[in-house]
Every structure is written in structure tokens, then in C-alpha cells.
Amino acid sequence: MQHEAALTYFSIRPCYSEPQEIEDLCNEWQPEPLFKAATENQPDYEPPVISGAPKTYVTANGKEVLNMVSANFLGFAGDDDIQRACEATINKYGVGSCGPRGFYGTIDVHLDLEKRIASFMQTEESIIYAYDLATVPSILPAFANAKDLIVCDEAACYAIQNGATLSRAQVRFFKHNDMADLERLLQEQADKDKRSKLRLNRRFIVVEGISHNLGDIAPLDQIFNLKEKFKYRLVLDESLSFGVLGATGRGAAEKFGLRPGQVEIVAASMGYSPVHPL
């Protein structure tokens, strides 16, 4: 008995509107406003225009006011000695390489600063990125991939969330600074591993020393104990805590008594409150 194979082809003709109809639709379209119009009860808003360096007091719209929005915690911006050093550096090097070090070369002061940071943080080495917002999104994909697991605080800043997404790793979030919820997630994963006998992979807990979004401090002593118990690596963003917390300004890890090396990866932005001269 012979069987004949039949192939059926479907041809779908795209339906295009007449040019005049398209033109009419475009003319009739009215985009929705991005925000609602101000009501009579809302006062007229005048954006603040700052004159001068962001010190403790600044001149905003011609009036001296207390500066409550700057991250210049240590008052370095506007410091006379730092301004003179910046002027000398600009006269020698210009305003920067204006591009990645891999493309435009490394300047000697980059290497000197990396050595100073590593010495200050008591680590073997440090790496400077040209753009602070790209640092964590570069670190996480470098160490984690689609086979790995990242556990993040649900209130993590944009840089951490972006880096976790770019890594393509499985990402799970625990309630902000809630150690019971973090332990629950880690225990659930451990139980799942026993049932499925999954291959070993890399696992990270990612938190901030001081939360960008909420301003409170992560309980790193408890986080450290949990990461040791469940065999995770800890990635710590010290951007707001670097130079602010700890007896010598080494950040939240120092505040909670963690020794160098007990936090596997530390990242920080020099654009907030860099530590005293390294």
C-alpha cells in the first residue's frame, strides 16, 4: 500500500492601506500626555539652579539653602587642595581619555590609583572602570552565566538589577534586609538541589552596603553567616558606604567586622563620597 505525501502551501497577501488612509490616520492620532497638567491647587514649580560647588550650604535660585540632596558626605567637592590637584591633573592629562581603557590606552595615574585602592582595601588588586554605572553590570556577567544562580535584595539598585539580567543567570529576590526570607530562599534551593541532584554551579548573594533606594544598612554579619552556611559567594556594592562606614572608611564590611577576602567581590563608585586621600 502506497502513501502519498501532500504539501500544502499557504499564501498570505499582506493588507496595506491606501496612502491617503495612512495620512489621515497619522493626522488624527493624538498622543497621550506624559504627565497630567498641573491643577490650581499645585504651586508653580521652579527647578532649583545651583551656583557653585555642592557644599553643605549652596546657593539655589539666588538663595543660600542647606544642601540635603548631595552625596558629598565628606565635603570633598569644593575643597581647595583637591581643586588645585584637579587643576594640575587637567593641565597635564586633559579631561580624560574620553573612552574605554582597552581602546584608548591606560594612563599611568589609573595604575597608581588601582594600587592605592588595593592597598587601602587590603586586597591583591583592584580594577577601575571608566563609568561607575557600568561596573556591577560588567562584574556580574563576567562571573555568572545562564547555569548559575544570583540571589538579590528586592530593593537592589538599578546597576545590580541590570547586571543580574545581563548575566542570564537565574535570579531570585528576597525581601529587603529580611534575613529570615533570605534563609528561606537559600534553604529552598538547597532542598531542590537534593531532590534534583543538579550539577554544581556558581552562586552569588548580591547586596548593597547602604541601599541606594531606601538608605538603610544591610546586616552584613548575618548575610555573611548565611552565605558561609549555604556555600555562596558574596558580591557587595559599597558605593554609598565606601569612605563613610567603618573605623577607617573601608565600608559596611569593615563596620560589621568582616576581614578582607571574606567578601569575595566588592564594588564601589568613586562618584559619591570617595575615601580620604589613599
Side-chain angles (χ1 to χ4, degrees), residues 50-60 63-67:
I50 309 298
S51 302
K55 298 182 179 181
T56 305
Y57 288 89
V58 296
T59 302
K63 180 182 179 181
E64 187 178 63
V65 295
L66 178 64
N67 185 0

Side-chain angles (χ1 to χ4, degrees), residues 10-29:
F10 291 90
S11 177
I12 301 176
R13 181 177 180 273
C15 179
Y16 297 106
S17 301
E18 296 296 329
Q20 185 58 47
E21 183 181 356
I22 296 175
E23 185 69 22
D24 292 340
L25 289 173
C26 291
N27 291 333
E28 294 173 2
W29 181 68

Side-chain angles (χ1 to χ4, degrees), residues 32-102:
E32 295 182 1
L34 296 177
F35 53 88
K36 296 181 179 179
T39 65
E40 296 180 356
N41 296 327
Q42 292 174 317
D44 293 335
Y45 175 69
E46 183 180 1
V49 178
I50 309 298
S51 302
K55 298 182 179 181
T56 305
Y57 288 89
V58 296
T59 302
N61 298 336
K63 180 182 179 181
E64 187 178 63
V65 295
L66 178 64
N67 185 0
M68 298 289 288
V69 297
S70 172
N72 181 34
F73 308 129
L74 303 182
F76 284 172
D79 180 85
D80 292 338
D81 291 336
I82 294 178
Q83 284 187 334
R84 284 190 290 269
C86 290
E87 183 178 354
T89 301
I90 291 173
N91 289 335
K92 181 178 180 179
Y93 295 99
V95 295
S97 59
C98 301
R101 287 167 57 178

Side-chain angles (χ1 to χ4, degrees), residues 62 85 88 105 122 128 136 179 185 234 237 242 254-255 262 273:
Q122 300 176 359
I128 296 175
V136 174
M179 295 300 97
L185 284 181
L234 179 57
D237 186 341
F242 182 58
E254 183 182 50
K255 170 182 171 59
Q262 289 187 311
S273 181

